[in-house]
Amino acid sequence: MELKFLGTGSAFNRQLGCSSAYRIVGDVNLQLFDCGEDVFDKVLKKGLLDNKEEVNVYVSHLHSDHVGSLGSLIFYCYFVKNIVPVILTGEDSSDLKTFLSVTGALKYCQIAEAPYCIRTSHVEGMISYGFKLYIGSNKYIYYSGDSNEIRYEII
């Protein structure tokens, strides 16, 4: 199961795009990791929603270069593809729910706690998470949108 990147830049490195990755599970499930300002457009251009029955979006934190086009993705999935996307984050999803409520997208998705979610440190006052992803044969990949540490249990 391969993890592919849509962008590896940052809020200020637009040439490399907003940090985001994805993988396709069983041909019908899109797992997207972060959905920054330019990500929804890339998802459409690459046809990543074609023939998908499930969409899971893992949200590492709420900076706009990680969630800036999340509302558009949710609306498109719900109204165009007839898919209720599942938005996955850590144990504290209250800020994410507030963000999606303000954008009007909360009622068109489900919020769930991500499996293998690990709280990270990024900036003061903002909760952020990394995700340990099983890729088969007892192997894992760790995805973190932005963090200033990698916890010991990951290493």
Side-chain angles (χ1 to χ4, degrees):
M1 200 174 308
E2 198 171 283
L3 190 66
K4 298 179 181 179
F5 283 83
L6 295 170
T8 57
S10 65
F12 307 118
N13 185 343
R14 294 304 182 167
Q15 286 183 318
L16 296 178
C18 295
S19 296
S20 180
Y22 71 94
R23 64 184 184 173
I24 307 294
V25 179
D27 294 329
V28 296
N29 179 285
L30 171 65
Q31 294 184 346
L32 182 65
F33 299 88
D34 286 332
C35 191
E37 291 130 341
D38 63 353
V39 173
F40 174 61
D41 187 52
K42 291 177 180 180
V43 166
L44 288 182
K45 285 181 179 173
K46 286 187 163 292
L48 295 180
L49 294 171
D50 295 349
N51 304 312
K52 298 303 176 280
E53 297 172 10
E54 298 175 38
V55 175
N56 302 102
V57 183
Y58 291 75
V59 174
S60 65
H61 65 287
L62 296 180
H63 279 150
S64 62
D65 60 320
H66 294 267
V67 294
S69 67
L70 180 58
S72 296
L73 178 77
I74 291 169
F75 291 135
Y76 187 85
C77 285
Y78 188 86
F79 289 107
V80 176
K81 304 300 284 183
N82 296 312
I83 297 169
V84 176
V86 178
I87 314 303
L88 298 134
T89 193
E91 73 276 0
D92 185 350
S93 61
S94 58
D95 288 347
L96 176 62
K97 288 177 181 176
T98 299
F99 169 76
L100 291 174
S101 180
V102 168
T103 66
L106 181 60
K107 63 183 176 181
Y108 302 109
C109 64
Q110 293 180 349
I111 307 292
E113 186 174 337
Y116 304 112
C117 182
I118 298 161
R119 193 155 179 174
T120 64
S121 175
H122 177 41
V123 296
E124 188 176 331
M126 180 175 282
I127 297 171
S128 59
Y129 300 100
F131 307 100
K132 182 179 170 183
L133 312 169
Y134 181 71
I135 59 170
S137 300
N138 245 358
K139 294 182 181 177
Y140 293 85
I141 293 175
Y142 177 69
Y143 175 89
S144 172
D146 292 323
S147 64
N148 56 18
E149 69 176 350
I150 297 178
R151 294 175 57 172
Y152 180 76
E153 63 262 31
I154 295 300
I155 296 170

